Structures are given as structure tokens and as C-alpha cells.
Amino acid sequence: MSQAEDIESVDEDGVIESVSGPVVSATDLDARMNDVVYVGDEGLMGEVIEIEGNLTTIQVYEETSGVSPGEPVENTGEPLSVDLGPGMLDSIYDGVQRPLDELEEKMGSAFLDRGVDAPGIDPEKQWEFTPSVAEGEIVEPGDVIGKVPETASITHRVMVPPDYEGGKITSIEAGEFTVEEVVAELESGEEITMHQEWPVREARPAAEKETPTIPLVSGQRILDGLFPIAKGGTAAIPGPFGSGKTVTQHQLAKWADADIVVYVGCGERGNEMTEVIEDFPELEDPKTGKPLMSRTCLIANTSNMPVAARESCIYTGITIAEYYRDMGYDVALMADSTSRWAEAMREISSRLEEMPGEEGYPAYLAAALSEFYERAGLFQNINGTQGSVSVIGAVSPPGGDFSEPVTQNTLRIVKTFWALDADLAERRHFPSINWNESYSLYRQQLDPWFRENVAEDWPERRQWAVDVLDEEDELQEIVQLVGKDALPEDQQLTLEIARYLREAWLQQNAFHDVDTYCDPKKTYRMLGAIKTFNDEAFEALEAGVPVEEVQDVDAAPRLNRMGVAEEWNEFIDELESDLEEQIRALY
Amino acid sequence: MKEYQTITEISGPLVFAEVDEPVGYNEIVEIETPDGDTLRGQVLESSEGLVSIQVFEGTGGIDRNASVRFLGETMKMPVTEDLLGRVLDGSGNPIDGGPEIVPDERIDIVGEAINPYSREYPEEFIQTGVSAIDGMNTLVRGQKLPIFSGSGLPHNELALQIARQATVPEEEEEGDDDEEGSEFAVIFGAMGITQEEANEFMQDFERTGALERSVVFMNLADDPAVERTVTPRLALTTAEYLAFEKGYHVLVILTDITNYCEALREIGAAREEVPGRRGYPGYMYTDLAQLYERAGRIEGREGSVTQIPILTMPGDDDTHPIPDLTGYITEGQIVMDRDLNSQGIEPPINVLPSLSRLMDDGIGEGLTRGDHGDVSDQMYAAYAEGEDLRDLVNIVGREALSERDNKFLDFADRFESEFVQQGYETDRSIEETLELGWDLLSMLPKEALNRIDEDLIEVHYREEEAEAVQAD
């Protein structure tokens, strides 16, 4: 959001009446709901959230210590908006789209000072613009008129803003331009720059929402293999602290095969954001080989940054995501964590003394959540291209109790549920996604893609794994009572197979250079190797070989090394034939 | 500076006064009682004509005629390097009989958020000499790692042990060449602890000579509760000054966060706010984050702030709002366990629910040792398996278990009695800790070590140990 260009021309139209934390009320302010205002002598940025008679209530995006009644409030007359244009990728913003690197420079300090503003995109930087339409052509809102190489891997498409009328192009030229300069003029008199503004609380228009049928491949075995999410789908990752929400989100941000990743750190730890800032420029996108940062936009509002900006950072993120979707890209948005966002709403709501709903959350919590997740989807854009926004929201339920309002209201909307489990995390089984509780409603619609692109029997093989894990779950209850050795031999073998499924297949080391990303084909083949072991072992058992001997064949422990094997095709070929040979030698 | 005698209402820790000129939010207030005492407070809400004030020392002795002075500034902490070695009360006034403090600077205690862009990711290993921490839940410089404890558990002993023993191994080897820039300091912020506990800390500081490089802030159990909301902010402001202006590596110990949160709840109740879970205010997450997030490193600055907050979980329940919200903000937790304590394990750290989020980047080749990560993972997995089997043994007995299972049971026992158990005076180097780890892991068959790289097993696995176990 850029500070109104010429603030002097705006009337000093309000006076502060009272201050309580991030909530300030002012009298005599002529404003509409959601208008952005500048509060007090220091010009702290805020947003109008309630109007009652002559009294206007404002949530302030910065710390309000020292602000006193009687100080002025200035209205910009504009709703909270983001600046959209080239330069957003490879950037890190705070919750109201101020670039954090710019802020450091302007404030001359490592600490975030108040009342300093900076535009979301650099107004002085020159970009190489190449038109893709010619003079005399007719363009409509949303149409792409030219291209700008934004980063090493992404070409930015300059579009006619959706709220323009469109018409015949009277002039357009190639060259170096800043985002403020006009690159094309229309017959209607409208001028197009590479820069658009869009109010964050309003979804950008699209022609049609479609049913997604292509998976967002994440390179995580448990996700691709058991609980896939579609491009344009929604997923929730709830879990108690320490269960690996953030690591899972980071893994997705690194390896998901989206074109663009928007990562929103909402009310989380400062050091985690720093990790992303330091790691991403060094990591390579497995698809393009370019630095991951060149497809990533980071939004960081850490837990100690002002609470009102935490409320807005989710909207800032999704609006940026929609803008790239309009260009025809597949965008993935990670929000970590939506609970902090809900708590920010609760905090503001309680300062407004609104009637609380469940557990003190405002009554409009469910509406706000569903409105946010509905902005995800696979869309037919107004310019005819197809783009998607996938949303993956972490949820931090208090005490790890999934029955609390944020988790419950989220689950009513999202179609993929990755339940993190503290027990698994305690025994360092990562990713600690519980395979019995999690689900994906996209499985059916994604199966054709997996059949075609990975293997014809992908769904069947997955079902086999699910059945074994289910059976293990039941058997474990008996084992808890009588011990493993009291079970019949075939059930003992099933437990052993399930153990390999858990330890060799589901478990994946995010910090291992090779294991961190697993191609779906490798995921499939690893499962195949375990199934080979399963089939051979059961045949041996039927032929009368004792279960201990079957389990203890030399090759079996090598199943655990499949994940870290670099030449996995060869490794698995050899392993499978060794398993066959050694088990068959037993009878 | 204007003086008012316009108090209209006194309720709990709050005073309401009428004013005729604007007063800033969070501004500091002095109230003079008819007896001549001066009390200090802070503006909680400011509106045209009326302010509500939270009084740190409690409202006892204030009447309608007390005079109220607004100082026109928010609360500041006078800071100087000379604070090292001093003991202050919960509001920052010296109580050790020493000279007046002559500040170099006066810094706002609320503190500003560190720009995430300016942070440096913490990855410098701190050796605490405690195996359960160094080996399994490594602490790094700039981390915030709380101790989750319960009443009656020896969290103070552990905190003191860490404060005494904490070093960064490589720097010792490098010798004196950068001694100036990287001195070590301890800031101790006590909130509502008993006089006896305070004595325990003070005696240990004096005994070991640690006091010279410490600043102590004392808010005791019988000091005003509201003051507790200020004490940690004074401590952290001092810590940030020493770390980022003067280049110290500062370890901040805050005890007890539970008392701090009780004080927040008390103020919330007095203001008749809508309460959140269990009566704690809805903004407690934000409030706690404003404390905990003041840990870290800054790019281009020498020093660091590392935090070890201590909290006692009411009813040993880690889903209680205080430990719960803390766990969501801090970078892991060290959990004390009542069962281990009654078995006489010192320190009684239960490693299973414990966690250090920054561990992965702080260990490994060149930082600690190449096998650290794998050893730690394997011990976690093996101990967790042993723990599970214990339940089963209670039902079916040891004889009914397989040989493999019995080995895991033995592992779990020895893990507790040899690895975790070490006493509060033993200082183990990371080498010793990892070697001890291998001693224990070698009880298990090689094939069971599925989390460790095969090459490392070749180097470190002790065949003799395995054979000895076989022979048993």
C-alpha cells in the first residue's frame, strides 16, 4: 500500500477521541468503511472498521504507545489496497505490503519503527516491456497487452485492469519503463501502466470456477501418495505445537510444482521467516533449476508485530496470488497460521466490545474463513486463460484440540485435511501426519492424472497401502493386550510390512538432501518394493517358512534406505531382485 | 507537567481520573498519596477527558484527593554497561545498596519488533553441558527455549546449571583474539518468586562469581502483581542494549511466566474485559509474543539474546493456556517430568515431549559433530519404542517379549539412568554426550539402527558392547 502520494492535499478531517491498544476512535472523520486513514502526529496507518454517529473506530497497523486524544486523523479516501505489478516476486513484505528490506534502509535500524511507509513496488525501477498486442487492436478488461521478464523464472504479464472499460489501442510501445509510466493508451482515454491497485478485501473477478483435476505435486510421499491436493484446491494442516506444521508448510513452499508461491507468515516466529529468507535464494526449483526465491513472494507479520496488520496480511497474500492467477499461472498460497489470524480478529473484536461467539471469537469467524478459502480454486480467467490458486492453511488449535472453533470452521470448508499428531512427532516420525485421521476428497478426481502420468495401477497400489495400515491399526489394539508374539504368523508379518510402510515410505526426512523431495514415480516404486517384499514373504509363509526367517532376510532392512537413495531406480531394481532371491531361497 | 486531583474511581489495580488535556496511551503516571508515598502507573486507556491508569505498586493508600502527575513519556529503562553486577527491584530501582545508576541511554521498554529481514538465523551451538539438552534438544544462540515445569520440580537447579555451564566450544579454542566483542552476560528476571527461591539464585550467583556478569531484576511473591508486567520488559530492554549495542551474548532467564500471566489476568478482570480461555485475556498470545520474540541475532551485530523462560504448568497440564500459547511462540521446549524426578533422575528432563526447533541447523559437521543428528534421531526413536513396551510389560511380563523388544526395554532404562541422569554439577562436553549415546545405541542390533547412516555405524558402533549384551 502506498501512502497517498500528496498527503498535503488531503483534509485534516478528524480528531482522536480515545486510544486503547490498536483500537482508536475519532470524531468528525468523514470516512467510509474500510478506508485507510493516517492516525496521529506520526501518521500511523489504520483502517476504518466501525462507524457510529459521529464516532469512527479505526484499527491501527502500528504500535500506538504515546498517541493521545486530540491528535489529528487524516483520511485517504481509499480502501486498504495492494500495489500489483512486476517486482513482487523475490520480495518480502509486512502485513500491509511494505517491503521489509526497504523499511530497514529507511529506518536505518534493525528494529521496526513507526510511521514509516514505503511503496509495495519500487516506483523507480525500470522494466523491459514487450507488447504482445499491436496498435489498433481491441482489448478488453483482463487482457494481456505485454510481457516483462520479472525474475529468472517468471514472465510477468501486463494486463488491462479488470475495472477498465477497454477498447481500441491507440498507442503502445516497447522499451524500458517504470511501473508508473504509461505503456499503452486506449481510445477511451484510459491509460495503462504496469501497475494496478486492488482492494485486498475484494476478490479479483474471474469468468468461471472449474473442477480441478491436476494434483499439486509436493514431492512429499504421504501427501502425493495418500492425501493429494489439487491445483486450485484447499487444505488445512492442524496440529499442536511442535508437530511440524511449519516444516510441512516450508516443504510445500519449496517443492510444490506451482508456478508461483505466496508464503504468508501470519503471527509466527521471526526466526522462521529469517530461515525462509536465507534458505530460499540458495535452493533450486526442481522444475526450472532457478533459485526458488524467484518464484516466491513472502509476507511476514511475526507474532510481535502489530496485531491489526496480522489481520490484514492474509488478505494481502491472497490478492497477490489472484493477480498472478489472472496471468494464467498456478499459484500456491501457504498461510501459517490461520489461527493467529482468527485470534487477531478476536482481539480487535473484543476491543470493540462486540458480542462474542464461541470461545470469544467473533460471530463472523466462520464467514471470514469461508470467504477466504473460497478465493482459492481453478479459474477460467476473464482474459480466457486458466489459472489456479491453491490455499494451504496451517491451524494451531489450543492444546491440540481439534474441536475448537477455528479448526472446526476450517474443516467445514477445505477438502484436504492433514492431521498432525503429537505422538508421531514425539517419536520423531516426520512428517507427523496421521494416516488414519487425515483425508483428501480430491483422490477420485485426481486418479486419472496419476494413472496417466505415474502408473496405471496407482490407485490400486495406494489402496493396498491404506488397507495394510488400517489392519495394523486394529492389530495394534490386540498387541497392546497380549504382545506381538501371541499373534498368528500371518498377522505378525502384516505388522512387519506395516512397519516398513510407516518407517520407509511415510516417513521422510525434510533435512536430507535427497529425501527432502520425492518424485511421484519414486513414491510409486518405493511402495512397489515394499509390496514385493509383502507378496514374496506371504508366499514363503504359505510354503511353511517361519515368520522370523522371512522377516530377517538380509535385504529387508535396505527398504529403509530407499528414501535417501539418489539412483533410486537402480537401487530399487536391485533391492527387489535381492528380496525375491533371498526369500525364495528359504523354501 | 500538570497535576490533577481528579480521581473518580479506584478499582483493583486501576485508577480512573478526569483530565482536561490529552494524555498519551501507555504514558507513565505518578500518583502521590496523602501519606506522601509516590506510586507509579501506566495509562491503559486514554479518551477525551478520562484516563484509566494501572498502578504498578497496587492502589493501597490512594484516595480521591491523591494527586496524579502525567510524565508525558512512556516507560523507559535507564541502561548502561555498569548495570552488570547490580540487583534491581521489579521496577528497575537498585536494591543492593550500591551507587545510583548513571544511564548512558534511556530506552522505551515496550521494544520494537526486530525486522525479520534484519535478523540473522541462529545456528551457533551453545554447549550447556547437559546431555539431554545438548544431545537431544540442542540450544543455539538467539533461541528462545522455555523450561516447562511443575510446582515442586527442580527447574531452578537446571536453569542455574545452564547459566553456569553455557559456553560456545569453538570460541574457547580460538582463544582471546575476539574476547572483547563476545562476552557473556546473564540477565535474571524474577516475577513473583518466593524470597527463598530468590535466595537460592542469589547464593548460586555469588558462589560462582556469576553475579559480576549478571543483572538481576527481582519482583518477589509479595511485591505488587501489576509490577510483574513491567519486570520482564525491563530485563529484555537491558538484554537488547547489552547484546546489540555492547556486543554481549546475553542469556535471559525469566521465572516464572505463570505468575506473569496471572498478573495479566488480574488486570484484564479489573478492566472488565471479555475473557478468553480460562479467564486469561484474549490478547495473551500477542502479549507473550512481545516478550519471547525479543530473542535473536541481528545481521551485522556482534551480540545475541537467548531466552530461557521458566513456567510451571498448572496441574502439569501442557494444554493449559500458558504453556500452550508459549509453545506456539517459542522455538521448542524442555519438559520436566514428575516421574523421572521421583526416580531421582537429575535433571528430570523428559526428552520425548521436549523439542528444539533450531536444532537441525545448529548441529552437524563443523558445528558439533557429523553424527549428531542421526544419533539424536535414533535415540529418540529407540527410547520412544522402549517407553511403549513398558506398558506392555506391565501386562504380559518381560518373558513374553521377543529378544529385540527386551533390548529396547534395556535401552530405555539405561537411557534414563545414564544419559539423562548426570547431576547438577556435571558438565559434559558434546563429545562425551555423543560417545555416551553410542555406548547406549550399541546395545541394540545394528539392523535396528535405521535412522543412522551406514558409514557412521561403521565408524562408531561398538562391537564389544553388542557382544557383551549378547552374552548377558
Side-chain angles (χ1 to χ4, degrees):
Chain A
M1 171 67 213
S2 61
Q3 190 151 358
E5 275 78 44
D6 39 354
I7 199 99
E8 293 78 22
S9 71
V10 179
D11 290 335
E12 214 175 73
D13 36 17
V15 175
I16 297 179
E17 221 266 338
S18 74
V19 186
S20 161
V23 173
V24 167
S25 6
T27 48
D28 299 333
L29 185 70
D30 182 20
R32 290 168 304 174
M33 272 298 266
N34 296 340
D35 272 359
V36 169
V37 294
Y38 289 97
V39 174
D41 296 331
E42 290 177 86
L44 308 179
M45 188 171 152
E47 184 182 359
V48 174
I49 52 171
E50 197 176 81
I51 298 172
E52 203 185 331
N54 191 27
L55 198 67
T56 308
T57 309
I58 300 155
Q59 62 176 4
V60 181
Y61 294 124
E62 297 179 78
E63 168 67 42
T64 51
S65 284
V67 174
S68 56
E71 290 183 25
V73 178
E74 292 157 4
N75 186 12
T76 63
E78 300 268 336
L80 183 64
S81 312
V82 284
D83 288 325
L84 300 166
M88 290 192 291
L89 299 177
D90 200 2
S91 293
I92 169 161
Y93 293 119
D94 77 350
V96 285
Q97 213 208 0
R98 297 181 302 180
L100 287 171
D101 47 348
E102 195 99 350
L103 289 186
E104 182 190 55
E105 205 172 299
K106 280 199 172 179
M107 293 169 184
S109 153
F111 293 89
L112 290 170
D113 206 351
R114 308 190 299 185
V116 179
D117 211 336
I121 45 182
D122 190 341
E124 271 146 40
K125 185 166 174 166
Q126 300 261 332
W127 296 95
E128 172 87 45
F129 174 78
T130 317
S132 56
V133 291
E135 271 171 38
E137 278 186 53
I138 307 249
V139 290
E140 287 181 28
D143 281 356
V144 177
I145 59 159
K147 289 179 180 150
V148 173
E150 183 172 358
T151 62
S153 49
I154 297 297
T155 304
H156 193 99
R157 294 172 193 145
V158 180
M159 297 171 290
V160 180
D163 48 358
Y164 272 31
E165 271 175 36
K168 196 195 269 182
I169 295 182
T170 52
S171 89
I172 187 164
E173 55 184 311
E176 299 253 318
F177 297 96
T178 69
V179 291
E180 303 287 350
E181 285 168 339
V182 177
V183 294
E185 282 170 40
L186 303 185
E187 205 175 37
S188 56
E190 287 171 322
E191 294 179 333
I192 300 172
T193 64
M194 288 187 274
H195 163 227
Q196 301 187 10
E197 270 187 34
W198 194 264
V200 295
R201 293 181 200 280
E202 204 178 300
R204 285 174 68 87
E208 209 176 326
K209 199 165 178 174
E210 295 174 343
T211 307
T213 53
I214 298 173
L216 183 74
V217 174
S218 63
Q220 309 304 303
R221 287 189 287 274
I222 186 161
L223 306 187
D224 295 342
L226 293 182
F227 311 110
I229 174 180
K231 283 199 174 102
T234 50
I237 320 179
F241 60 81
S243 56
K245 279 184 299 296
T246 302
V247 177
T248 310
Q249 290 276 40
H250 282 191
Q251 284 297 92
L252 284 163
K254 284 176 191 167
W255 309 124
D257 68 340
D259 300 312
I260 307 277
V261 170
V262 179
Y263 192 95
V264 185
C266 174
E268 287 290 311
R269 304 175 182 88
N271 280 332
E272 276 170 3
M273 292 316 296
T274 311
E275 186 185 5
V276 176
I277 300 168
E278 287 187 8
D279 275 5
F280 276 36
E282 284 165 26
L283 291 169
E284 268 179 21
D285 182 345
K287 229 174 33 171
T288 59
K290 302 276 165 42
L292 273 181
M293 203 56 207
S294 62
R295 66 162 196 185
T296 310
C297 173
L298 294 175
I299 295 166
N301 190 269
T302 58
S303 53
N304 56 339
M305 281 155 79
V307 68
R310 195 188 306 162
E311 194 267 340
S312 70
C313 67
I314 292 275
Y315 294 106
T316 303
I318 192 96
T319 309
I320 292 175
E322 284 174 338
Y323 177 66
Y324 282 100
R325 173 209 73 197
D326 285 347
M327 297 180 206
Y329 286 119
D330 291 316
V331 187
L333 177 126
M334 283 91 200
D336 184 14
S337 138
T338 56
S339 292
R340 304 296 161 231
W341 173 53
E343 280 165 15
M345 283 193 264
R346 173 167 75 182
E347 196 173 326
I348 303 286
S349 157
S350 96
R351 299 233 185 217
L352 291 176
E353 293 173 2
E354 290 175 343
M355 184 70 80
E358 216 181 331
E359 287 195 22
Y361 287 104
Y364 46 81
L365 172 73
L369 278 168
S370 48
E371 212 177 298
F372 164 64
Y373 280 105
E374 267 307 285
R375 289 173 77 169
L378 174 69
F379 292 91
Q380 200 69 45
N381 292 324
I382 50 175
N383 57 18
T385 57
Q386 201 184 46
S388 69
V389 175
S390 318
V391 173
I392 297 145
V395 185
S396 320
D401 172 14
F402 290 174
S403 66
E404 58 92 41
V406 181
T407 316
Q408 283 308 312
N409 283 313
T410 305
L411 287 184
R412 293 219 316 266
I413 315 156
V414 300
K415 294 183 82 178
T416 311
F417 172 50
W418 298 323
L420 295 172
D421 185 324
D423 274 349
L424 291 173
E426 273 188 19
R427 60 190 64 219
R428 300 304 188 256
H429 175 112
F430 287 117
S432 59
I433 295 168
N434 185 308
W435 47 91
N436 292 315
E437 277 179 52
S438 304
Y439 58 77
S440 165
L441 301 179
Y442 295 112
R443 269 187 196 170
Q444 300 294 327
Q445 66 208 64
L446 298 180
D447 276 348
W449 186 93
F450 280 112
R451 277 189 205 278
E452 195 174 317
N453 292 284
V454 186
E456 186 49 40
D457 63 342
W458 171 279
E460 289 75 25
R461 198 167 274 189
R462 175 184 65 213
Q463 196 52 47
W464 169 78
V466 172
D467 291 343
V468 174
L469 290 167
D470 279 351
E471 198 179 341
E472 184 202 27
D473 197 40
E474 282 164 29
L475 291 176
Q476 282 298 353
E477 284 171 25
I478 307 172
V479 172
Q480 288 301 324
L481 293 175
V482 299
K484 190 173 163 187
D485 290 354
L487 291 181
E489 290 207 321
D490 59 331
Q491 294 188 343
Q492 287 188 37
L493 188 56
T494 302
L495 284 179
E496 183 75 1
I497 302 291
R499 193 169 67 82
Y500 280 117
L501 279 178
R502 282 188 285 112
E503 294 182 0
W505 192 59
L506 293 180
Q507 206 165 299
Q508 189 171 356
N509 186 351
F511 300 99
H512 189 282
D513 289 343
V514 177
D515 204 19
T516 183
Y517 175 81
C518 190
D519 191 280
K521 289 202 170 72
K522 182 177 175 188
T523 300
Y524 172 81
R525 285 226 54 196
M526 286 174 70
L527 192 52
I530 300 174
K531 187 150 190 304
T532 306
F533 179 54
N534 173 78
D535 297 349
E536 294 293 333
F538 270 101
E539 256 175 57
L541 207 60
E542 251 165 58
V545 184
V547 68
E548 290 82 14
E549 279 182 38
V550 182
Q551 287 174 9
D552 289 348
V553 295
D554 286 345
R558 260 160 58 207
L559 287 168
N560 287 321
R561 310 273 171 203
M562 289 188 295
V564 299
E566 207 156 351
E567 305 291 333
W568 47 272
N569 253 325
E570 293 74 9
F571 184 92
I572 294 174
D573 283 341
E574 197 188 318
L575 176 59
E576 282 181 339
S577 74
D578 285 356
L579 281 169
E580 254 171 56
E581 198 178 303
Q582 290 174 10
I583 296 176
R584 284 181 191 177
L586 295 173
Y587 59 98
Chain B
M1 197 187 318
K2 208 156 178 187
E3 248 186 85
Y4 295 90
Q5 282 187 313
T6 51
I7 293 177
T8 55
E9 189 187 334
I10 306 170
S11 142
L14 302 186
V15 168
F16 298 85
E18 285 175 354
V19 289
D20 57 8
E21 63 180 38
V23 172
Y25 174 68
N26 266 348
E27 217 172 85
I28 290 297
V29 186
E30 277 181 4
I31 301 176
E32 207 169 316
T33 66
D35 305 338
D37 291 340
T38 306
L39 305 174
R40 298 219 293 168
Q42 193 174 17
V43 174
L44 271 191
E45 192 167 339
S46 169
S47 38
E48 200 90 59
L50 185 75
V51 292
S52 51
I53 301 158
Q54 137 190 348
V55 184
F56 300 139
E57 288 94 338
T59 44
I62 302 179
D63 67 2
R64 286 197 185 80
N65 299 320
S67 65
V68 181
R69 271 194 306 272
F70 296 95
L71 302 188
E73 62 168 24
T74 51
M75 186 131 181
K76 302 273 199 299
M77 172 74 201
V79 289
T80 154
E81 235 174 314
D82 298 336
L83 279 171
L84 288 169
R86 302 299 302 268
V87 183
L88 314 171
D89 70 5
S91 296
N93 307 307
I95 48 169
D96 54 1
E100 271 293 293
I101 289 162
V102 187
D104 284 351
E105 248 181 278
R106 299 176 70 249
I107 303 178
D108 201 310
I109 66 158
V110 178
E112 289 161 340
I114 302 178
N115 186 334
Y117 182 80
S118 313
R119 278 180 187 267
E120 191 177 321
Y121 192 64
E123 41 198 7
E124 249 180 309
F125 165 66
I126 299 182
Q127 178 175 303
T128 64
V130 180
S131 293
I133 296 177
D134 290 351
M136 311 294 282
N137 298 289
T138 315
L139 177 69
V140 297
R141 269 186 183 160
Q143 186 172 16
K144 38 194 179 295
L145 188 65
I147 299 176
F148 282 15
S149 186
S151 11
L153 293 178
H155 40 264
N156 292 343
E157 283 79 356
L158 179 63
L160 277 170
Q161 186 177 16
I162 296 172
R164 259 196 324 267
Q165 298 179 351
T167 55
V168 175
E170 308 98 282
E171 258 172 37
E172 273 179 6
E173 285 160 30
E174 277 171 29
D176 303 351
D177 53 324
D178 65 347
E179 205 176 27
E180 251 174 49
S182 58
E183 273 176 277
F184 192 68
V186 176
I187 307 261
F188 181 70
M191 294 164 276
I193 63 170
T194 61
Q195 183 68 51
E196 243 172 274
E197 280 178 283
N199 289 346
E200 199 185 320
F201 276 102
M202 289 312 296
Q203 279 161 10
D204 197 86
F205 282 159
E206 278 164 23
R207 177 172 69 87
T208 58
L211 191 59
E212 279 170 45
R213 50 186 178 93
S214 308
V215 188
V216 178
F217 292 85
M218 283 281 178
N219 168 286
L220 297 180
D222 56 351
D223 286 337
V226 179
E227 192 185 73
R228 272 162 220 164
T229 60
V230 182
T231 311
R233 293 190 162 81
L234 295 171
L236 289 164
T237 305
T238 312
E240 280 176 349
Y241 171 77
L242 289 175
F244 302 130
E245 301 295 326
K246 297 293 168 190
Y248 283 85
H249 289 295
V250 186
L251 178 69
V252 185
I253 299 175
L254 298 173
T255 179
D256 175 331
I257 295 292
T258 307
N259 296 334
Y260 172 82
C261 293
E262 298 293 334
L264 279 187
R265 179 160 71 174
E266 190 182 328
I267 297 164
R271 294 179 66 186
E272 295 172 7
E273 291 169 345
V274 181
R277 267 176 87 213
R278 301 223 192 165
Y280 292 97
Y283 49 80
M284 196 157 86
Y285 178 81
T286 308
D287 194 282
L288 285 173
Q290 280 166 354
L291 300 184
Y292 297 142
E293 277 290 329
R294 293 173 79 174
R297 306 212 55 174
I298 291 179
E299 193 122 14
R301 310 273 178 102
E302 190 66 42
S304 63
V305 178
T306 309
Q307 271 189 42
I308 303 193
I310 298 172
L311 59 90
T312 45
M313 298 184 278
D316 291 349
D317 172 14
D318 69 0
T319 65
H320 184 280
I322 298 171
D324 190 54
L325 295 180
T326 299
Y328 276 122
I329 307 165
T330 54
E331 281 136 354
Q333 65 276 338
I334 301 291
V335 182
M336 307 284 264
D337 187 279
R338 209 167 282 281
D339 283 344
L340 290 177
N341 188 47
S342 59
Q343 287 168 36
I345 307 283
E346 295 181 343
I349 296 175
N350 185 356
V351 299
L352 292 180
S354 300
L355 170 73
S356 164
R357 291 168 189 272
L358 300 183
M359 174 168 178
D360 289 299
D361 292 293
I363 62 171
E365 199 70 61
L367 296 155
T368 55
R369 222 170 77 171
D371 56 337
H372 191 161
D374 285 359
V375 169
S376 153
D377 271 359
Q378 187 67 62
M379 288 209 283
Y380 260 113
Y383 181 55
E385 192 163 346
E387 267 276 304
D388 276 355
L389 288 166
R390 281 181 181 164
D391 297 338
L392 189 54
V393 169
N394 289 335
I395 302 168
V396 300
R398 264 194 107 128
E399 294 71 31
L401 295 186
S402 68
E403 198 189 334
R404 182 180 186 274
D405 288 352
N406 269 305
K407 282 184 184 156
F408 276 90
L409 273 172
D410 289 336
F411 175 86
D413 289 342
R414 282 185 64 189
F415 180 80
E416 285 168 5
S417 61
E418 293 175 33
F419 190 86
V420 179
Q421 163 74 22
Q422 70 177 88
Y424 297 111
E425 297 297 329
T426 315
D427 187 357
R428 286 190 194 145
S429 73
I430 183 67
E431 287 284 327
E432 287 173 274
T433 294
L434 290 177
E435 288 307 316
L436 192 55
W438 278 107
D439 284 347
L440 298 183
L441 286 176
S442 300
M443 296 167 65
L444 303 173
K446 256 189 203 175
E447 313 78 72
L449 303 184
N450 56 2
R451 310 269 177 126
I452 306 185
D453 198 88
E454 272 163 341
D455 301 340
L456 292 171
I457 295 183
E458 283 314 308
V459 179
H460 296 282
Y461 190 76
R462 316 217 196 301
E463 303 287 349
E464 331 83 69
E465 192 86 21
E467 275 157 29
V469 174
Q470 217 80 50
D472 282 348

